[in-house]
Coordinates of all heavy atoms in Angstrom, one line a residue:
M25 N 15.2 10.4 11.7 CA 15.3 9.1 12.3 C 14.1 8.2 11.9 O 13.0 8.8 11.7 CB 15.1 9.3 13.8 CG 15.8 8.2 14.6 SD 16.0 8.7 16.4 CE 14.6 7.8 17.0
N26 N 14.4 7.0 11.7 CA 13.4 6.1 11.2 C 12.5 5.6 12.4 O 12.9 5.7 13.5 CB 14.0 4.8 10.6 CG 14.7 5.2 9.3 OD1 14.9 6.3 8.9 ND2 15.0 4.2 8.5
N27 N 11.3 5.2 12.0 CA 10.3 4.7 13.0 C 9.7 3.5 12.4 O 8.5 3.5 12.0 CB 9.3 5.8 13.2 CG 8.2 5.5 14.3 OD1 8.5 4.6 15.1 ND2 7.1 6.0 14.2
W28 N 10.5 2.4 12.4 CA 10.0 1.2 11.8 C 9.0 0.5 12.7 O 9.3 0.3 13.9 CB 11.2 0.2 11.5 CG 12.1 0.7 10.4 CD1 13.3 1.3 10.6 CD2 11.8 0.7 9.0 NE1 13.8 1.6 9.3 CE2 12.9 1.3 8.4 CE3 10.7 0.3 8.3 CZ2 13.0 1.4 7.0 CZ3 10.8 0.5 6.8 CH2 11.9 1.0 6.2
I29 N 7.8 0.2 12.2 CA 6.8 -0.4 13.0 C 6.5 -1.8 12.3 O 6.2 -1.9 11.2 CB 5.5 0.5 13.0 CG1 5.8 1.9 13.5 CG2 4.4 -0.2 13.8 CD1 6.2 1.9 15.0
D30 N 6.4 -2.8 13.2 CA 6.0 -4.1 12.7 C 4.5 -4.2 12.5 O 3.8 -3.9 13.4 CB 6.4 -5.1 13.8 CG 6.2 -6.6 13.5 OD1 5.3 -6.8 12.6 OD2 6.8 -7.4 14.1
V31 N 4.1 -4.4 11.3 CA 2.7 -4.4 10.9 C 2.1 -5.7 10.5 O 0.8 -5.8 10.6 CB 2.4 -3.4 9.8 CG1 2.7 -1.9 10.2 CG2 3.1 -3.7 8.5
A32 N 2.9 -6.7 10.2 CA 2.3 -7.9 9.7 C 3.4 -9.0 9.6 O 4.6 -8.7 9.6 CB 1.6 -7.7 8.3
A33 N 3.0 -10.2 9.5 CA 3.9 -11.3 9.1 C 4.0 -11.3 7.6 O 3.0 -11.2 6.9 CB 3.4 -12.6 9.7
E34 N 5.1 -11.6 7.1 CA 5.3 -11.8 5.6 C 4.4 -12.8 5.1 O 3.9 -12.7 4.0 CB 6.8 -12.1 5.3 CG 7.1 -11.9 3.8 CD 8.5 -12.2 3.5 OE1 9.3 -12.7 4.4 OE2 8.9 -12.1 2.3
A35 N 4.1 -13.8 5.9 CA 3.3 -15.0 5.5 C 1.8 -14.5 5.3 O 1.0 -15.3 4.8 CB 3.3 -16.1 6.5
D36 N 1.5 -13.4 5.9 CA 0.1 -12.9 5.7 C -0.2 -12.3 4.3 O -1.3 -12.1 3.9 CB -0.2 -11.8 6.7 CG -0.3 -12.2 8.1 OD1 -0.5 -13.4 8.3 OD2 -0.1 -11.4 9.0
L37 N 0.9 -12.1 3.6 CA 0.8 -11.4 2.3 C 0.7 -12.5 1.2 O 1.5 -13.5 1.3 CB 2.0 -10.6 2.0 CG 2.3 -9.4 3.0 CD1 3.6 -8.7 2.7 CD2 1.1 -8.5 3.0
F38 N 0.0 -12.2 0.1 CA -0.1 -13.1 -1.0 C 0.2 -12.3 -2.3 O -0.3 -11.2 -2.4 CB -1.5 -13.8 -1.1 CG -1.7 -14.7 0.1 CD1 -2.4 -14.3 1.2 CD2 -1.3 -16.0 0.0 CE1 -2.6 -15.1 2.3 CE2 -1.5 -16.9 1.1 CZ -2.2 -16.4 2.2
E39 N 1.0 -12.9 -3.1 CA 1.4 -12.1 -4.3 C 0.3 -11.7 -5.1 O -0.6 -12.5 -5.4 CB 2.4 -13.0 -5.1 CG 3.2 -12.1 -6.1 CD 4.3 -12.9 -6.8 OE1 5.0 -13.7 -6.1 OE2 4.3 -12.9 -8.0
G40 N 0.3 -10.5 -5.5 CA -0.8 -10.0 -6.4 C -2.0 -9.5 -5.6 O -3.1 -9.3 -6.2
A41 N -1.9 -9.3 -4.3 CA -3.0 -8.9 -3.5 C -2.6 -7.9 -2.4 O -1.4 -7.8 -2.1 CB -3.7 -10.1 -2.9
G42 N -3.5 -7.2 -1.8 CA -3.2 -6.3 -0.8 C -3.9 -6.7 0.5 O -5.0 -7.4 0.5
I43 N -3.3 -6.2 1.7 CA -4.0 -6.3 3.0 C -4.0 -4.9 3.6 O -3.2 -4.1 3.3 CB -3.3 -7.3 3.9 CG1 -1.9 -6.9 4.2 CG2 -3.3 -8.7 3.3 CD1 -1.3 -7.6 5.4
A44 N -4.9 -4.8 4.5 CA -5.0 -3.5 5.3 C -4.3 -3.7 6.6 O -4.5 -4.7 7.3 CB -6.5 -3.1 5.5
V45 N -3.5 -2.6 7.0 CA -2.9 -2.6 8.3 C -3.2 -1.2 8.9 O -3.3 -0.2 8.1 CB -1.4 -2.9 8.3 CG1 -1.2 -4.3 7.8 CG2 -0.6 -1.9 7.4
T46 N -3.2 -1.1 10.2 CA -3.6 0.2 10.8 C -2.6 0.6 11.9 O -3.1 0.8 13.1 CB -5.1 0.1 11.3 OG1 -5.2 -1.0 12.2 CG2 -6.0 0.0 10.2
P47 N -1.3 0.7 11.6 CA -0.4 1.0 12.7 C -0.6 2.5 13.1 O -0.7 3.4 12.2 CB 1.0 0.8 12.1 CG 0.7 1.1 10.6 CD -0.7 0.5 10.3
Q48 N -0.6 2.8 14.4 CA -0.7 4.1 14.9 C -1.8 5.0 14.2 O -1.5 6.1 13.8 CB 0.7 4.8 14.8 CG 1.7 4.1 15.6 CD 3.1 4.7 15.5 OE1 3.3 5.6 14.8 NE2 4.0 4.2 16.3
N49 N -2.9 4.4 14.0 CA -4.1 5.1 13.5 C -3.9 5.5 12.0 O -4.7 6.2 11.5 CB -4.5 6.4 14.3 CG -4.9 6.0 15.6 OD1 -5.6 5.0 15.9 ND2 -4.5 6.8 16.6
H50 N -2.9 5.0 11.3 CA -2.9 5.1 9.9 C -3.6 4.0 9.3 O -3.8 2.9 9.8 CB -1.4 5.1 9.4 CG -0.5 6.2 9.8 ND1 -0.6 7.4 9.3 CD2 0.4 6.2 10.8 CE1 0.3 8.2 9.9 NE2 0.9 7.5 10.8
D51 N -4.2 4.2 8.0 CA -4.9 3.2 7.3 C -4.0 3.0 6.1 O -4.0 3.8 5.1 CB -6.3 3.7 7.0 CG -7.2 2.6 6.3 OD1 -6.7 1.4 6.2 OD2 -8.2 2.9 5.9
I52 N -3.3 1.8 6.0 CA -2.4 1.6 5.0 C -2.6 0.2 4.3 O -3.0 -0.8 5.0 CB -0.9 1.6 5.6 CG1 -0.7 3.0 6.2 CG2 0.2 1.2 4.6 CD1 0.6 3.2 6.9
A53 N -2.5 0.2 3.0 CA -2.6 -1.0 2.2 C -1.2 -1.5 1.9 O -0.4 -0.8 1.4 CB -3.4 -0.8 1.0
V54 N -0.9 -2.8 2.2 CA 0.4 -3.4 1.9 C 0.2 -4.4 0.8 O -0.7 -5.3 0.9 CB 1.0 -4.1 3.1 CG1 2.3 -4.8 2.8 CG2 1.1 -3.1 4.3
F55 N 1.0 -4.3 -0.2 CA 0.9 -5.2 -1.4 C 2.1 -6.0 -1.6 O 3.3 -5.5 -1.5 CB 0.7 -4.4 -2.7 CG -0.6 -3.6 -2.7 CD1 -0.7 -2.3 -2.2 CD2 -1.8 -4.2 -3.1 CE1 -1.9 -1.6 -2.2 CE2 -3.0 -3.5 -3.1 CZ -3.0 -2.2 -2.6
K56 N 2.0 -7.3 -2.0 CA 3.1 -8.1 -2.4 C 3.1 -8.3 -3.8 O 2.1 -8.8 -4.4 CB 3.1 -9.4 -1.6 CG 4.3 -10.3 -1.9 CD 4.3 -11.6 -1.1 CE 5.5 -12.4 -1.4 NZ 5.7 -13.5 -0.5
L57 N 4.2 -7.8 -4.5 CA 4.3 -8.1 -5.9 C 5.5 -9.0 -6.2 O 6.2 -9.5 -5.2 CB 4.6 -6.8 -6.6 CG 3.6 -5.6 -6.4 CD1 4.0 -4.4 -7.3 CD2 2.2 -6.1 -6.7
E58 N 5.7 -9.4 -7.4 CA 6.7 -10.3 -7.8 C 8.1 -9.8 -7.3 O 8.9 -10.6 -6.9 CB 6.7 -10.4 -9.3 CG 7.4 -11.6 -9.8 CD 7.3 -11.7 -11.3 OE1 7.5 -10.7 -12.0 OE2 7.0 -12.8 -11.8
D59 N 8.3 -8.5 -7.3 CA 9.6 -7.9 -7.0 C 9.7 -7.2 -5.7 O 10.7 -6.6 -5.4 CB 10.0 -6.9 -8.1 CG 9.1 -5.7 -8.2 OD1 8.1 -5.7 -7.4 OD2 9.4 -4.8 -9.0
G60 N 8.7 -7.4 -4.8 CA 8.8 -6.8 -3.5 C 7.5 -6.5 -2.8 O 6.5 -6.8 -3.4
V61 N 7.7 -5.9 -1.7 CA 6.5 -5.5 -0.9 C 6.4 -4.0 -0.9 O 7.4 -3.3 -0.7 CB 6.5 -6.1 0.5 CG1 5.4 -5.7 1.4 CG2 6.6 -7.6 0.4
Y62 N 5.2 -3.4 -1.0 CA 5.0 -2.0 -1.1 C 3.8 -1.6 -0.2 O 2.9 -2.4 0.0 CB 4.7 -1.6 -2.6 CG 5.9 -1.9 -3.5 CD1 5.8 -3.1 -4.2 CD2 7.0 -1.1 -3.6 CE1 6.9 -3.4 -5.0 CE2 8.0 -1.4 -4.4 CZ 8.0 -2.6 -5.2 OH 9.0 -3.0 -6.0
A63 N 3.8 -0.3 0.2 CA 2.8 0.1 1.1 C 2.3 1.6 0.6 O 3.1 2.4 0.4 CB 3.2 0.2 2.5
I64 N 1.0 1.7 0.5 CA 0.5 3.1 0.2 C -0.8 3.3 1.1 O -1.3 2.3 1.6 CB 0.0 3.2 -1.3 CG1 -1.0 2.1 -1.7 CG2 1.3 3.2 -2.2 CD1 -1.5 2.2 -3.1
N65 N -1.2 4.5 1.2 CA -2.4 4.8 2.0 C -3.6 4.0 1.4 O -3.7 3.9 0.2 CB -2.7 6.3 2.0 CG -2.0 7.0 3.1 OD1 -1.3 6.4 3.9 ND2 -2.1 8.3 3.2
N66 N -4.3 3.5 2.3 CA -5.4 2.6 1.8 C -6.6 3.3 1.3 O -7.3 2.8 0.4 CB -5.8 1.7 3.1 CG -6.6 0.5 2.7 OD1 -6.7 0.1 1.5 ND2 -7.3 -0.1 3.7
E67 N -6.9 4.5 1.7 CA -8.0 5.2 1.2 C -7.7 5.9 -0.1 O -6.7 6.6 -0.3 CB -8.5 6.3 2.2 CG -9.8 6.9 1.8 CD -10.4 7.7 2.9 OE1 -10.4 7.3 4.1 OE2 -10.9 8.8 2.6
C68 N -8.5 5.6 -1.1 CA -8.4 6.2 -2.4 C -8.5 7.7 -2.3 O -9.3 8.3 -1.5 CB -9.5 5.7 -3.4 SG -9.4 6.4 -5.0
S69 N -7.7 8.4 -3.1 CA -7.7 9.9 -3.1 C -9.0 10.5 -3.7 O -9.2 11.7 -3.7 CB -6.4 10.5 -3.7 OG -6.4 10.1 -5.1
H70 N -9.8 9.6 -4.4 CA -11.0 10.1 -5.1 C -12.2 9.9 -4.2 O -13.3 10.5 -4.6 CB -11.1 9.4 -6.5 CG -12.2 9.8 -7.3 ND1 -13.3 9.0 -7.5 CD2 -12.4 10.9 -7.9 CE1 -14.2 9.6 -8.2 NE2 -13.7 10.8 -8.6
G71 N -12.2 9.0 -3.3 CA -13.4 8.7 -2.5 C -13.1 7.8 -1.4 O -12.0 7.5 -1.0
N72 N -14.2 7.2 -0.9 CA -14.1 6.4 0.3 C -13.9 4.9 0.1 O -14.5 4.0 0.7 CB -15.4 6.6 1.2 CG -15.2 6.1 2.6 OD1 -14.1 6.0 3.1 ND2 -16.3 5.7 3.2
A73 N -13.0 4.6 -0.9 CA -12.8 3.2 -1.3 C -11.5 2.7 -0.6 O -10.6 3.5 -0.4 CB -12.7 3.1 -2.8
K74 N -11.4 1.5 -0.4 CA -10.2 0.9 0.2 C -9.4 0.2 -0.9 O -9.8 -0.8 -1.6 CB -10.5 -0.2 1.2 CG -11.4 0.4 2.4 CD -10.5 1.4 3.2 CE -11.3 1.9 4.4 NZ -10.5 3.0 5.1
L75 N -8.2 0.7 -1.1 CA -7.4 0.2 -2.2 C -6.9 -1.3 -1.9 O -6.5 -2.0 -2.9 CB -6.2 1.1 -2.5 CG -6.5 2.5 -2.9 CD1 -5.3 3.4 -3.1 CD2 -7.3 2.5 -4.3
C76 N -6.9 -1.7 -0.6 CA -6.5 -3.1 -0.4 C -7.4 -4.0 -1.0 O -7.1 -5.2 -1.2 CB -6.4 -3.3 1.1 SG -8.0 -3.2 2.0
D77 N -8.7 -3.6 -1.4 CA -9.7 -4.4 -2.0 C -9.5 -4.4 -3.5 O -10.4 -5.0 -4.2 CB -11.1 -4.0 -1.6 CG -11.3 -4.2 -0.1 OD1 -10.7 -5.1 0.5 OD2 -12.0 -3.4 0.5
G78 N -8.7 -3.6 -4.1 CA -8.6 -3.4 -5.5 C -7.9 -4.5 -6.2 O -7.2 -5.3 -5.6
F79 N -8.1 -4.5 -7.5 CA -7.5 -5.6 -8.3 C -6.1 -5.1 -8.7 O -5.8 -4.0 -9.0 CB -8.4 -5.6 -9.6 CG -7.8 -6.6 -10.6 CD1 -7.8 -8.0 -10.4 CD2 -7.3 -6.2 -11.8 CE1 -7.3 -8.9 -11.3 CE2 -6.8 -7.1 -12.8 CZ -6.8 -8.4 -12.5
V80 N -5.2 -6.0 -8.5 CA -3.8 -5.7 -8.7 C -3.3 -6.3 -10.0 O -3.6 -7.5 -10.3 CB -2.9 -6.3 -7.6 CG1 -1.4 -6.0 -7.8 CG2 -3.3 -5.7 -6.3
E81 N -2.7 -5.5 -10.9 CA -2.1 -6.0 -12.1 C -0.8 -5.3 -12.3 O -0.7 -4.1 -12.4 CB -3.1 -5.8 -13.3 CG -2.6 -6.4 -14.5 CD -3.6 -6.4 -15.6 OE1 -4.6 -5.6 -15.6 OE2 -3.4 -7.3 -16.5
G82 N 0.3 -6.1 -12.5 CA 1.6 -5.6 -12.6 C 1.9 -4.8 -11.3 O 1.8 -5.3 -10.2
H83 N 2.3 -3.5 -11.5 CA 2.6 -2.6 -10.3 C 1.4 -1.7 -10.0 O 1.6 -0.8 -9.2 CB 3.9 -1.7 -10.6 CG 5.1 -2.5 -10.6 ND1 5.8 -2.9 -11.7 CD2 5.8 -3.0 -9.5 CE1 6.9 -3.6 -11.4 NE2 6.9 -3.7 -10.1
H84 N 0.3 -2.0 -10.6 CA -0.9 -1.1 -10.4 C -2.0 -1.8 -9.5 O -2.2 -3.0 -9.6 CB -1.4 -0.7 -11.7 CG -0.5 0.1 -12.6 ND1 -0.5 0.1 -13.9 CD2 0.5 0.9 -12.2 CE1 0.5 0.8 -14.4 NE2 1.0 1.4 -13.3
V85 N -2.7 -0.9 -8.8 CA -3.9 -1.3 -8.2 C -5.0 -0.5 -8.7 O -4.9 0.7 -8.9 CB -3.8 -1.3 -6.6 CG1 -3.6 0.1 -6.1 CG2 -5.1 -1.9 -6.0
E86 N -6.2 -1.2 -8.9 CA -7.3 -0.5 -9.5 C -8.3 -0.3 -8.4 O -8.7 -1.2 -7.6 CB -8.0 -1.4 -10.5 CG -9.1 -0.8 -11.2 CD -9.7 -1.8 -12.2 OE1 -10.4 -2.7 -11.8 OE2 -9.5 -1.5 -13.5
C87 N -8.7 1.0 -8.2 CA -9.7 1.3 -7.2 C -11.0 0.6 -7.4 O -11.5 0.5 -8.5 CB -10.0 2.8 -7.1 SG -11.2 3.2 -6.0
P88 N -11.6 -0.1 -6.4 CA -12.7 -0.9 -6.6 C -14.0 -0.1 -6.9 O -15.0 -0.6 -7.3 CB -12.9 -1.7 -5.3 CG -12.1 -0.9 -4.3 CD -11.0 -0.2 -5.0
F89 N -13.9 1.3 -6.6 CA -15.1 2.1 -6.8 C -15.3 2.6 -8.3 O -16.2 2.3 -9.0 CB -15.2 3.3 -5.9 CG -15.7 3.0 -4.5 CD1 -15.9 1.6 -4.1 CD2 -16.1 4.0 -3.7 CE1 -16.4 1.3 -2.9 CE2 -16.6 3.7 -2.4 CZ -16.7 2.4 -2.0
H90 N -14.2 3.3 -8.7 CA -14.3 4.0 -10.1 C -13.2 3.6 -11.0 O -12.9 4.4 -11.9 CB -14.5 5.5 -10.0 CG -15.5 5.9 -9.0 ND1 -15.2 6.5 -7.8 CD2 -16.9 5.7 -9.0 CE1 -16.3 6.7 -7.1 NE2 -17.4 6.3 -7.8
Q91 N -12.4 2.7 -10.5 CA -11.3 2.1 -11.4 C -10.1 3.0 -11.7 O -9.5 2.9 -12.7 CB -11.9 1.6 -12.8 CG -12.7 0.3 -12.6 CD -14.1 0.5 -12.0 OE1 -14.9 1.4 -12.4 NE2 -14.4 -0.2 -10.9
A92 N -9.9 4.0 -10.8 CA -8.7 4.8 -10.9 C -7.5 3.8 -10.7 O -7.7 2.8 -10.0 CB -8.6 5.9 -9.9
L93 N -6.4 4.1 -11.3 CA -5.2 3.2 -11.2 C -4.1 3.9 -10.4 O -3.8 5.1 -10.8 CB -4.6 2.8 -12.6 CG -5.3 1.7 -13.4 CD1 -4.5 1.4 -14.6 CD2 -5.4 0.4 -12.5
F94 N -3.6 3.3 -9.4 CA -2.4 3.8 -8.7 C -1.2 2.9 -8.8 O -1.4 1.7 -8.8 CB -2.7 3.9 -7.2 CG -3.8 4.9 -6.9 CD1 -5.2 4.5 -6.9 CD2 -3.6 6.3 -6.7 CE1 -6.2 5.4 -6.7 CE2 -4.6 7.2 -6.5 CZ -5.9 6.7 -6.4
D95 N 0.0 3.5 -8.9 CA 1.2 2.7 -8.9 C 1.5 2.4 -7.4 O 1.7 3.3 -6.6 CB 2.3 3.5 -9.5 CG 3.6 2.6 -9.7 OD1 3.9 1.8 -8.8 OD2 4.2 2.8 -10.8
V96 N 1.5 1.1 -7.0 CA 1.7 0.8 -5.6 C 3.1 1.1 -5.1 O 3.4 1.1 -3.9 CB 1.4 -0.7 -5.2 CG1 -0.1 -1.0 -5.7 CG2 2.3 -1.6 -5.9
R97 N 4.1 1.3 -6.1 CA 5.4 1.6 -5.7 C 5.6 3.0 -5.2 O 6.5 3.3 -4.3 CB 6.4 1.4 -6.9 CG 6.4 -0.1 -7.3 CD 7.1 -0.3 -8.6 NE 6.4 0.5 -9.7 CZ 6.8 0.4 -11.0 NH1 7.9 -0.3 -11.3 NH2 6.1 1.1 -11.9
D98 N 4.8 4.0 -5.7 CA 5.0 5.4 -5.2 C 3.7 6.1 -5.0 O 3.7 7.3 -4.7 CB 5.9 6.2 -6.2 CG 5.2 6.2 -7.6 OD1 4.1 5.8 -7.8 OD2 5.9 6.7 -8.5
G99 N 2.6 5.4 -5.2 CA 1.2 6.1 -4.9 C 0.8 6.9 -6.1 O -0.3 7.6 -5.9
S100 N 1.5 7.0 -7.1 CA 1.1 8.0 -8.2 C -0.1 7.5 -8.9 O -0.4 6.3 -9.0 CB 2.3 8.2 -9.2 OG 2.6 6.9 -9.8
V101 N -0.9 8.5 -9.4 CA -2.1 8.1 -10.2 C -1.7 7.8 -11.6 O -0.9 8.5 -12.3 CB -3.0 9.4 -10.3 CG1 -4.3 9.0 -11.0 CG2 -3.4 9.8 -8.9
Q102 N -2.2 6.7 -12.1 CA -1.9 6.3 -13.5 C -3.1 6.4 -14.4 O -3.0 6.3 -15.6 CB -1.4 4.8 -13.5 CG -0.2 4.6 -12.7 CD 1.0 5.4 -13.2 OE1 1.3 5.4 -14.3 NE2 1.7 6.1 -12.3
C103 N -4.3 6.6 -13.8 CA -5.5 6.6 -14.6 C -6.6 7.3 -13.8 O -6.7 7.1 -12.6 CB -5.9 5.2 -15.0 SG -7.4 5.1 -16.0
A104 N -7.4 8.2 -14.5 CA -8.5 8.9 -13.9 C -9.5 7.9 -13.4 O -9.5 6.7 -13.9 CB -9.0 9.9 -14.9
P105 N -10.5 8.3 -12.6 CA -10.8 9.7 -12.2 C -10.1 10.3 -11.1 O -10.2 11.5 -10.8 CB -12.3 9.6 -11.8 CG -12.4 8.2 -11.3 CD -11.5 7.3 -12.1
A106 N -9.2 9.5 -10.4 CA -8.5 10.1 -9.3 C -7.4 11.1 -9.9 O -6.9 10.8 -11.1 CB -7.7 9.0 -8.5
T107 N -7.1 12.2 -9.3 CA -6.1 13.1 -9.8 C -5.0 13.3 -8.8 O -3.9 13.7 -9.1 CB -6.7 14.5 -10.1 OG1 -7.4 14.9 -8.9 CG2 -7.7 14.3 -11.2
E108 N -5.2 13.0 -7.5 CA -4.2 13.2 -6.4 C -3.6 11.8 -6.1 O -4.3 10.8 -6.0 CB -4.9 13.7 -5.2 CG -5.4 15.1 -5.3 CD -4.4 16.1 -5.5 OE1 -3.3 16.0 -4.9 OE2 -4.6 17.0 -6.4
P109 N -2.3 11.8 -5.9 CA -1.6 10.6 -5.5 C -2.0 10.2 -4.1 O -2.5 11.0 -3.4 CB -0.1 10.9 -5.6 CG 0.0 12.4 -5.4 CD -1.3 12.9 -6.0
V110 N -1.7 9.0 -3.7 CA -1.8 8.6 -2.3 C -0.4 8.4 -1.8 O 0.6 8.1 -2.5 CB -2.6 7.3 -2.1 CG1 -4.1 7.5 -2.5 CG2 -2.0 6.1 -3.0
K111 N -0.3 8.6 -0.5 CA 1.1 8.5 0.1 C 1.6 7.1 0.1 O 0.9 6.2 0.3 CB 1.0 9.0 1.6 CG 2.4 9.1 2.3 CD 2.2 9.7 3.6 CE 3.6 9.7 4.4 NZ 4.7 10.3 3.7
A112 N 2.9 7.0 -0.2 CA 3.6 5.7 -0.2 C 4.5 5.7 1.0 O 5.1 6.7 1.4 CB 4.4 5.5 -1.5
W113 N 4.7 4.5 1.6 CA 5.4 4.3 2.8 C 6.6 3.4 2.6 O 6.4 2.4 1.9 CB 4.6 3.8 3.9 CG 3.4 4.6 4.3 CD1 2.1 4.6 3.7 CD2 3.3 5.6 5.3 NE1 1.3 5.6 4.2 CE2 2.0 6.2 5.2 CE3 4.2 6.2 6.2 CZ2 1.6 7.3 6.0 CZ3 3.9 7.2 7.0 CH2 2.6 7.7 6.9
P114 N 7.8 3.7 3.2 CA 8.9 2.7 3.1 C 8.6 1.4 3.7 O 8.0 1.4 4.8 CB 10.1 3.5 3.8 CG 9.7 4.9 3.8 CD 8.2 4.9 3.9
V115 N 9.0 0.4 3.1 CA 8.8 -1.0 3.7 C 10.1 -1.8 3.8 O 11.0 -1.6 3.0 CB 7.9 -1.8 2.7 CG1 7.6 -3.2 3.2 CG2 6.6 -1.1 2.4
K116 N 10.2 -2.5 4.9 CA 11.4 -3.5 4.9 C 10.8 -4.8 5.5 O 9.9 -4.8 6.3 CB 12.5 -3.0 5.7 CG 12.3 -2.9 7.2 CD 13.6 -2.5 7.9 CE 13.5 -2.4 9.4 NZ 14.7 -2.0 10.1
I117 N 11.5 -5.9 5.0 CA 11.1 -7.2 5.6 C 12.3 -7.7 6.4 O 13.5 -7.7 5.9 CB 10.9 -8.2 4.4 CG1 9.9 -7.7 3.4 CG2 10.5 -9.6 4.9 CD1 8.5 -7.6 3.9
E118 N 12.0 -8.1 7.6 CA 13.1 -8.6 8.5 C 12.6 -9.8 9.3 O 11.6 -9.7 9.9 CB 13.7 -7.5 9.4 CG 15.0 -7.1 9.1 CD 15.4 -5.9 10.0 OE1 15.1 -5.9 11.2 OE2 16.0 -5.0 9.5
N119 N 13.3 -10.9 9.2 CA 13.0 -12.1 10.0 C 11.5 -12.5 9.8 O 10.8 -12.8 10.8 CB 13.3 -11.8 11.5 CG 14.7 -11.5 11.7 OD1 15.6 -12.1 11.1 ND2 15.0 -10.6 12.6
G120 N 11.1 -12.4 8.6 CA 9.7 -12.8 8.3 C 8.6 -11.9 8.7 O 7.4 -12.2 8.7
R121 N 9.0 -10.7 9.1 CA 8.0 -9.6 9.5 C 8.1 -8.4 8.5 O 9.1 -8.2 8.0 CB 8.3 -9.1 10.9 CG 8.3 -10.2 12.0 CD 6.9 -10.8 12.3 NE 5.9 -9.8 12.6 CZ 4.6 -10.2 12.8 NH1 4.2 -11.5 12.8 NH2 3.7 -9.2 13.1
V122 N 7.0 -7.8 8.4 CA 6.9 -6.6 7.5 C 6.9 -5.3 8.4 O 6.1 -5.2 9.3 CB 5.5 -6.6 6.7 CG1 5.4 -5.4 5.8 CG2 5.4 -7.9 5.9
F123 N 7.8 -4.4 8.1 CA 7.9 -3.2 8.8 C 7.7 -2.0 7.9 O 8.1 -2.0 6.8 CB 9.3 -3.0 9.4 CG 9.7 -4.0 10.5 CD1 10.1 -5.3 10.2 CD2 9.6 -3.7 11.9 CE1 10.5 -6.2 11.2 CE2 9.9 -4.6 12.8 CZ 10.3 -5.9 12.5
L124 N 7.0 -1.0 8.4 CA 6.7 0.3 7.7 C 7.5 1.4 8.5 O 7.5 1.4 9.8 CB 5.3 0.6 7.6 CG 4.4 -0.4 6.9 CD1 3.0 0.1 6.8 CD2 4.9 -0.8 5.6
D125 N 8.1 2.3 7.8 CA 8.7 3.5 8.4 C 7.6 4.6 8.5 O 7.4 5.2 7.4 CB 9.9 3.9 7.6 CG 10.6 5.1 8.2 OD1 10.2 5.5 9.3 OD2 11.6 5.6 7.7
L126 N 7.1 4.8 9.6 CA 6.0 5.8 9.7 C 6.5 7.2 10.0 O 5.8 8.2 10.2 CB 5.1 5.4 10.8 CG 4.3 4.1 10.6 CD1 3.3 3.8 11.7 CD2 3.6 4.0 9.3
Q127 N 7.9 7.4 10.0 CA 8.5 8.7 10.3 C 8.3 9.6 9.1 O 8.2 10.8 9.3 CB 9.9 8.5 10.6 CG 10.6 9.7 11.3 CD 9.9 10.1 12.6 OE1 9.6 9.1 13.3 NE2 9.8 11.3 12.9
T128 N 8.3 9.1 7.9 CA 8.4 9.9 6.7 C 7.0 10.5 6.4 O 6.0 10.0 6.8 CB 8.8 9.1 5.5 OG1 8.0 7.9 5.4 CG2 10.3 8.7 5.7
Ligands
LIG217 FE1 -11.4 5.5 -6.0 FE2 -13.4 6.9 -7.1 S1 -13.2 6.2 -5.0 S2 -11.6 6.1 -8.1

């Protein structure tokens, strides 16, 4: 069963950047790209950095601490020093609101 949680207004998002949201004690970064909105865990798998503050290029976000690259679509690591992926969350947009499925 899905557990869609309203986390933000679509208008809060700006293309090519991330914002932090904290539904139900999760720390999640939401990114708006040219082709959609994506959500991954906000904390870098390599350290205590917030990926919402990272530089976004294409489908990648660069960790602000040591420049590891993550794919915001699935949380996979694209470049060291991080070696572990971060969790990706399903996103939907409805009536101008951003929902995350926290069930998965
Ligand atoms: Fe993110 Fe080191 S804390 S790459």
